[in-house]
PDB file of all heavy atoms in Angstrom:
ATOM      1  N   ARG E 174      70.452  65.048  12.516  1.00 90.00           N
ATOM      2  CA  ARG E 174      69.805  63.827  12.021  1.00 90.00           C
ATOM      3  C   ARG E 174      68.361  64.149  11.684  1.00 90.00           C
ATOM      4  O   ARG E 174      67.630  64.729  12.488  1.00 90.00           O
ATOM      5  CB  ARG E 174      69.871  62.723  13.073  1.00 90.00           C
ATOM      6  CG  ARG E 174      71.291  62.269  13.385  1.00 90.00           C
ATOM      7  CD  ARG E 174      71.349  61.494  14.683  1.00 90.00           C
ATOM      8  NE  ARG E 174      70.446  60.352  14.670  1.00 90.00           N
ATOM      9  CZ  ARG E 174      70.110  59.662  15.766  1.00 90.00           C
ATOM     10  NH1 ARG E 174      70.591  60.027  16.941  1.00 90.00           N
ATOM     11  NH2 ARG E 174      69.297  58.633  15.681  1.00 90.00           N
ATOM     12  N   GLY E 175      67.940  63.767  10.485  1.00 89.00           N
ATOM     13  CA  GLY E 175      66.569  64.007  10.057  1.00 89.00           C
ATOM     14  C   GLY E 175      65.622  62.956  10.594  1.00 89.00           C
ATOM     15  O   GLY E 175      66.024  61.881  11.052  1.00 89.00           O
ATOM     16  N   GLY E 176      64.331  63.262  10.545  1.00 89.00           N
ATOM     17  CA  GLY E 176      63.308  62.305  10.947  1.00 89.00           C
ATOM     18  C   GLY E 176      63.128  62.161  12.436  1.00 89.00           C
ATOM     19  O   GLY E 176      62.412  61.258  12.883  1.00 89.00           O
ATOM     20  N   LEU E 177      63.761  63.011  13.237  1.00 88.00           N
ATOM     21  CA  LEU E 177      63.629  62.919  14.684  1.00 88.00           C
ATOM     22  C   LEU E 177      62.530  63.851  15.177  1.00 88.00           C
ATOM     23  O   LEU E 177      62.208  64.848  14.550  1.00 88.00           O
ATOM     24  CB  LEU E 177      64.946  63.276  15.372  1.00 88.00           C
ATOM     25  CG  LEU E 177      66.162  62.413  15.031  1.00 88.00           C
ATOM     26  CD1 LEU E 177      67.393  62.928  15.772  1.00 88.00           C
ATOM     27  CD2 LEU E 177      65.906  60.948  15.368  1.00 88.00           C
ATOM     28  N   SER E 178      62.000  63.547  16.325  1.00 91.00           N
ATOM     29  CA  SER E 178      60.996  64.408  16.944  1.00 91.00           C
ATOM     30  C   SER E 178      61.083  64.259  18.458  1.00 91.00           C
ATOM     31  O   SER E 178      61.718  63.330  18.979  1.00 91.00           O
ATOM     32  CB  SER E 178      59.580  64.041  16.460  1.00 91.00           C
ATOM     33  OG  SER E 178      59.268  62.704  16.824  1.00 91.00           O
ATOM     34  N   GLY E 179      60.454  65.189  19.146  1.00 90.00           N
ATOM     35  CA  GLY E 179      60.401  65.099  20.593  1.00 90.00           C
ATOM     36  C   GLY E 179      61.764  65.150  21.255  1.00 90.00           C
ATOM     37  O   GLY E 179      62.646  65.923  20.885  1.00 90.00           O
ATOM     38  N   LYS E 180      61.957  64.278  22.233  1.00 91.00           N
ATOM     39  CA  LYS E 180      63.191  64.260  23.026  1.00 91.00           C
ATOM     40  C   LYS E 180      64.414  63.979  22.171  1.00 91.00           C
ATOM     41  O   LYS E 180      65.472  64.613  22.346  1.00 91.00           O
ATOM     42  CB  LYS E 180      63.070  63.208  24.129  1.00 91.00           C
ATOM     43  CG  LYS E 180      64.296  63.104  25.007  1.00 91.00           C
ATOM     44  CD  LYS E 180      64.104  62.037  26.073  1.00 91.00           C
ATOM     45  CE  LYS E 180      65.377  61.890  26.916  1.00 91.00           C
ATOM     46  NZ  LYS E 180      65.206  60.834  27.955  1.00 91.00           N
ATOM     47  N   ALA E 181      64.299  63.058  21.228  1.00 91.00           N
ATOM     48  CA  ALA E 181      65.443  62.705  20.383  1.00 91.00           C
ATOM     49  C   ALA E 181      65.894  63.896  19.543  1.00 91.00           C
ATOM     50  O   ALA E 181      67.092  64.160  19.401  1.00 91.00           O
ATOM     51  CB  ALA E 181      65.089  61.527  19.481  1.00 91.00           C
ATOM     52  N   ARG E 182      64.932  64.641  18.999  1.00 93.00           N
ATOM     53  CA  ARG E 182      65.271  65.819  18.196  1.00 93.00           C
ATOM     54  C   ARG E 182      65.935  66.883  19.055  1.00 93.00           C
ATOM     55  O   ARG E 182      66.963  67.455  18.683  1.00 93.00           O
ATOM     56  CB  ARG E 182      64.004  66.377  17.568  1.00 93.00           C
ATOM     57  CG  ARG E 182      64.206  67.631  16.741  1.00 93.00           C
ATOM     58  CD  ARG E 182      62.921  68.406  16.627  1.00 93.00           C
ATOM     59  NE  ARG E 182      62.412  68.777  17.952  1.00 93.00           N
ATOM     60  CZ  ARG E 182      61.126  68.978  18.225  1.00 93.00           C
ATOM     61  NH1 ARG E 182      60.209  68.808  17.294  1.00 93.00           N
ATOM     62  NH2 ARG E 182      60.747  69.321  19.455  1.00 93.00           N
ATOM     63  N   ASP E 183      65.340  67.174  20.238  1.00 93.00           N
ATOM     64  CA  ASP E 183      65.907  68.193  21.124  1.00 93.00           C
ATOM     65  C   ASP E 183      67.315  67.812  21.564  1.00 93.00           C
ATOM     66  O   ASP E 183      68.211  68.670  21.640  1.00 93.00           O
ATOM     67  CB  ASP E 183      65.019  68.378  22.352  1.00 93.00           C
ATOM     68  CG  ASP E 183      63.666  68.998  22.008  1.00 93.00           C
ATOM     69  OD1 ASP E 183      63.552  69.572  20.907  1.00 93.00           O
ATOM     70  OD2 ASP E 183      62.738  68.903  22.838  1.00 93.00           O
ATOM     71  N   PHE E 184      67.523  66.535  21.859  1.00 92.00           N
ATOM     72  CA  PHE E 184      68.831  66.074  22.306  1.00 92.00           C
ATOM     73  C   PHE E 184      69.860  66.223  21.189  1.00 92.00           C
ATOM     74  O   PHE E 184      70.994  66.671  21.420  1.00 92.00           O
ATOM     75  CB  PHE E 184      68.735  64.605  22.747  1.00 92.00           C
ATOM     76  CG  PHE E 184      69.982  64.093  23.405  1.00 92.00           C
ATOM     77  CD1 PHE E 184      70.295  64.439  24.705  1.00 92.00           C
ATOM     78  CD2 PHE E 184      70.851  63.270  22.703  1.00 92.00           C
ATOM     79  CE1 PHE E 184      71.454  63.973  25.305  1.00 92.00           C
ATOM     80  CE2 PHE E 184      72.013  62.806  23.290  1.00 92.00           C
ATOM     81  CZ  PHE E 184      72.315  63.158  24.603  1.00 92.00           C
ATOM     82  N   ASN E 185      69.459  65.870  19.959  1.00 91.00           N
ATOM     83  CA  ASN E 185      70.373  65.985  18.821  1.00 91.00           C
ATOM     84  C   ASN E 185      70.734  67.444  18.554  1.00 91.00           C
ATOM     85  O   ASN E 185      71.912  67.783  18.379  1.00 91.00           O
ATOM     86  CB  ASN E 185      69.724  65.364  17.581  1.00 91.00           C
ATOM     87  CG  ASN E 185      70.585  65.504  16.335  1.00 91.00           C
ATOM     88  OD1 ASN E 185      70.187  66.158  15.368  1.00 91.00           O
ATOM     89  ND2 ASN E 185      71.756  64.896  16.330  1.00 91.00           N
ATOM     90  N   TRP E 186      69.729  68.325  18.549  1.00 94.00           N
ATOM     91  CA  TRP E 186      69.993  69.739  18.341  1.00 94.00           C
ATOM     92  C   TRP E 186      70.885  70.312  19.439  1.00 94.00           C
ATOM     93  O   TRP E 186      71.796  71.088  19.179  1.00 94.00           O
ATOM     94  CB  TRP E 186      68.677  70.514  18.297  1.00 94.00           C
ATOM     95  CG  TRP E 186      67.871  70.308  17.049  1.00 94.00           C
ATOM     96  CD1 TRP E 186      68.118  69.412  16.045  1.00 94.00           C
ATOM     97  CD2 TRP E 186      66.672  70.999  16.677  1.00 94.00           C
ATOM     98  NE1 TRP E 186      67.165  69.497  15.072  1.00 94.00           N
ATOM     99  CE2 TRP E 186      66.259  70.462  15.427  1.00 94.00           C
ATOM    100  CE3 TRP E 186      65.918  71.990  17.261  1.00 94.00           C
ATOM    101  CZ2 TRP E 186      65.111  70.918  14.782  1.00 94.00           C
ATOM    102  CZ3 TRP E 186      64.778  72.444  16.617  1.00 94.00           C
ATOM    103  CH2 TRP E 186      64.391  71.912  15.384  1.00 94.00           C
ATOM    104  N   HIS E 187      70.598  69.933  20.672  1.00 94.00           N
ATOM    105  CA  HIS E 187      71.350  70.463  21.810  1.00 94.00           C
ATOM    106  C   HIS E 187      72.823  70.085  21.707  1.00 94.00           C
ATOM    107  O   HIS E 187      73.705  70.908  21.967  1.00 94.00           O
ATOM    108  CB  HIS E 187      70.751  69.901  23.110  1.00 94.00           C
ATOM    109  CG  HIS E 187      71.141  70.659  24.332  1.00 94.00           C
ATOM    110  ND1 HIS E 187      70.661  71.909  24.632  1.00 94.00           N
ATOM    111  CD2 HIS E 187      71.993  70.334  25.364  1.00 94.00           C
ATOM    112  CE1 HIS E 187      71.167  72.332  25.770  1.00 94.00           C
ATOM    113  NE2 HIS E 187      71.987  71.402  26.230  1.00 94.00           N
ATOM    114  N   ASN E 188      73.083  68.861  21.322  1.00 92.00           N
ATOM    115  CA  ASN E 188      74.465  68.398  21.218  1.00 92.00           C
ATOM    116  C   ASN E 188      75.194  69.001  20.024  1.00 92.00           C
ATOM    117  O   ASN E 188      76.321  69.498  20.155  1.00 92.00           O
ATOM    118  CB  ASN E 188      74.496  66.869  21.131  1.00 92.00           C
ATOM    119  CG  ASN E 188      74.351  66.214  22.482  1.00 92.00           C
ATOM    120  OD1 ASN E 188      75.312  66.013  23.205  1.00 92.00           O
ATOM    121  ND2 ASN E 188      73.122  65.870  22.833  1.00 92.00           N
ATOM    122  N   VAL E 189      74.557  68.966  18.875  1.00 94.00           N
ATOM    123  CA  VAL E 189      75.223  69.435  17.652  1.00 94.00           C
ATOM    124  C   VAL E 189      75.500  70.942  17.714  1.00 94.00           C
ATOM    125  O   VAL E 189      76.621  71.391  17.440  1.00 94.00           O
ATOM    126  CB  VAL E 189      74.383  69.089  16.403  1.00 94.00           C
ATOM    127  CG1 VAL E 189      75.001  69.708  15.157  1.00 94.00           C
ATOM    128  CG2 VAL E 189      74.277  67.575  16.253  1.00 94.00           C
ATOM    129  N   ILE E 190      74.495  71.705  18.079  1.00 95.00           N
ATOM    130  CA  ILE E 190      74.692  73.155  18.162  1.00 95.00           C
ATOM    131  C   ILE E 190      75.671  73.497  19.269  1.00 95.00           C
ATOM    132  O   ILE E 190      76.480  74.426  19.140  1.00 95.00           O
ATOM    133  CB  ILE E 190      73.343  73.865  18.368  1.00 95.00           C
ATOM    134  CG1 ILE E 190      72.474  73.690  17.114  1.00 95.00           C
ATOM    135  CG2 ILE E 190      73.537  75.353  18.669  1.00 95.00           C
ATOM    136  CD1 ILE E 190      71.086  74.254  17.239  1.00 95.00           C
ATOM    137  N   GLY E 191      75.636  72.740  20.360  1.00 93.00           N
ATOM    138  CA  GLY E 191      76.586  72.978  21.446  1.00 93.00           C
ATOM    139  C   GLY E 191      78.021  72.763  21.006  1.00 93.00           C
ATOM    140  O   GLY E 191      78.914  73.561  21.334  1.00 93.00           O
ATOM    141  N   ILE E 192      78.254  71.719  20.236  1.00 93.00           N
ATOM    142  CA  ILE E 192      79.613  71.431  19.760  1.00 93.00           C
ATOM    143  C   ILE E 192      80.107  72.524  18.821  1.00 93.00           C
ATOM    144  O   ILE E 192      81.219  73.050  18.954  1.00 93.00           O
ATOM    145  CB  ILE E 192      79.654  70.063  19.051  1.00 93.00           C
ATOM    146  CG1 ILE E 192      79.530  68.922  20.074  1.00 93.00           C
ATOM    147  CG2 ILE E 192      80.928  69.910  18.224  1.00 93.00           C
ATOM    148  CD1 ILE E 192      80.742  68.781  20.993  1.00 93.00           C
TER     149      ILE E 192
END
Side-chain angles (χ1 to χ4, degrees):
R174 296 163 56 194
L177 300 178
S178 61
K180 180 180 177 181
R182 178 203 59 207
D183 292 343
F184 188 76
N185 177 243
W186 287 8
H187 197 72
N188 280 274
V189 174
I190 293 176
I192 288 292

